[in-house]
Amino acid sequence: GNSVTQMEGPVTLSEEAFLTINCTYTATGYPSLFWYVQYPGEGLQLLLKATKADDKGSNKGFEATYRKETTSFHLEKGSVQVSDSAVYFCALSDAGGTSYGKLTFGQGTILTVHP
Amino acid sequence: KAGVTQTPRYLIKTRGQQVTLSCSPISGHRSVSWYQQTPGQGLQFLFEYFSETQRNKGNFPGRFSGRQFSNSRSEMNVSTLELGDSALYLCASSLGGSANEKLFFGSGTQLSVL
């Protein structure tokens, strides 16, 4: 079956540091890939997505590129802010387009950014 | 536009009881999905409803059930509660036309089973 593996956290950075959160996946075909973010006490919010190989998703300074050859979708940001402190989830939806509402999530990575 | 609303926010039950959680999707959204979030298992998909029909189902026992009403509001029910059912239950809504579309999540219902 499908699975998503994220780097274990927690990740602690100083403000303006470079961020990378690794994500690799196992799936058949070409799934769609997502990064969701969860702030304390809130539900998940979509951060970015990519639906085919070599696509780059980007939003709010975050970027991730769909790498089929390495089955990866690593999240990066050039300069983090304290407000980026949250839990980040990598996720995929099945190829084939029938997995409505069904995402397979990684375990989540806690990011803490200090001033 | 109002977001996804889940009620109640917190719930405490004892083993063997049953519980019903409610989810009101964003206006115009016809798909509602449910997820269970625990520290050990992470986020796991329960089921998805679209136009009152279950389209997808995860690997949970039959004690977990759901339904959707004609106004797209959804409820999930857990019968014969077990300690391991303690979790944050999240629902998400979307337009429902594509498996790749953005899901909008509510803040969840925190269920504690004693």
Side-chain angles (χ1 to χ4, degrees):
Chain A
N2 296 339
S3 67
V4 176
T5 302
Q6 289 181 234
M7 65 184 285
E8 289 191 21
V11 174
T12 303
L13 296 173
S14 297
E15 207 164 27
E16 298 184 4
F18 183 84
L19 169 71
T20 299
I21 301 178
N22 289 339
C23 171
T24 57
Y25 68 89
T26 301
T28 54
Y30 289 81
S32 293
L33 302 174
F34 306 82
W35 278 100
Y36 277 83
V37 59
Q38 187 176 32
Y39 298 100
E42 299 182 13
L44 281 72
Q45 302 173 25
L46 178 65
L47 185 58
L48 51 84
K49 73 175 185 181
T51 58
K52 60 182 188 294
D54 300 324
D55 263 2
K56 176 185 282 189
S58 61
N59 185 27
K60 300 180 182 180
F62 291 89
E63 292 183 340
T65 300
Y66 189 144
R67 300 288 188 199
K68 180 65 176 173
E69 62 277 12
T70 54
T71 62
S72 64
F73 192 54
H74 304 321
L75 182 68
E76 296 182 337
K77 186 176 186 183
S79 175
V80 293
Q81 305 300 312
V82 172
S83 57
D84 293 327
S85 298
V87 184
Y88 291 81
F89 292 92
C90 185
L92 68 79
S93 68
D94 289 349
T98 60
S99 297
Y100 302 100
K102 179 181 179 181
L103 295 177
T104 300
F105 283 92
Q107 285 294 101
T109 301
I110 299 172
L111 170 66
T112 303
V113 181
H114 292 297
Chain B
K1 204 175 205 181
V4 177
T5 304
Q6 292 188 244
T7 56
R9 186 73 180 88
Y10 300 94
L11 210 44
I12 300 175
K13 293 287 186 179
T14 56
R15 276 183 301 174
Q17 287 187 311
Q18 74 165 17
V19 67
T20 300
L21 313 181
S22 178
C23 174
S24 294
I26 290 172
S27 177
H29 285 189
R30 296 170 63 191
S31 170
V32 174
S33 305
W34 288 89
Y35 286 82
Q36 181 194 66
Q37 186 177 20
T38 60
Q41 299 298 315
L43 280 151
Q44 293 186 288
F45 173 77
L46 282 153
F47 28 66
E48 186 261 0
Y49 286 87
F50 178 83
S51 292
E52 303 178 66
T53 300
Q54 187 183 84
R55 283 196 301 192
N56 270 309
K57 188 177 188 306
N59 297 322
F60 278 81
R63 299 185 298 107
F64 292 82
S65 62
R67 59 177 175 168
Q68 187 180 35
F69 302 95
S70 58
N71 62 357
S72 294
R73 190 177 71 84
S74 177
E75 290 180 346
M76 69 162 280
N77 184 276
V78 188
S79 62
T80 318
L81 284 166
E82 301 177 359
L83 295 178
D85 297 333
S86 294
L88 179 66
Y89 290 87
L90 295 168
C91 85
S93 76
S94 67
L95 293 171
S98 165
N100 301 327
E101 63 191 18
K102 177 179 179 179
L103 300 184
F104 293 79
F105 283 83
S107 299
T109 294
Q110 183 68 54
L111 172 65
S112 297
V113 182
L114 307 179

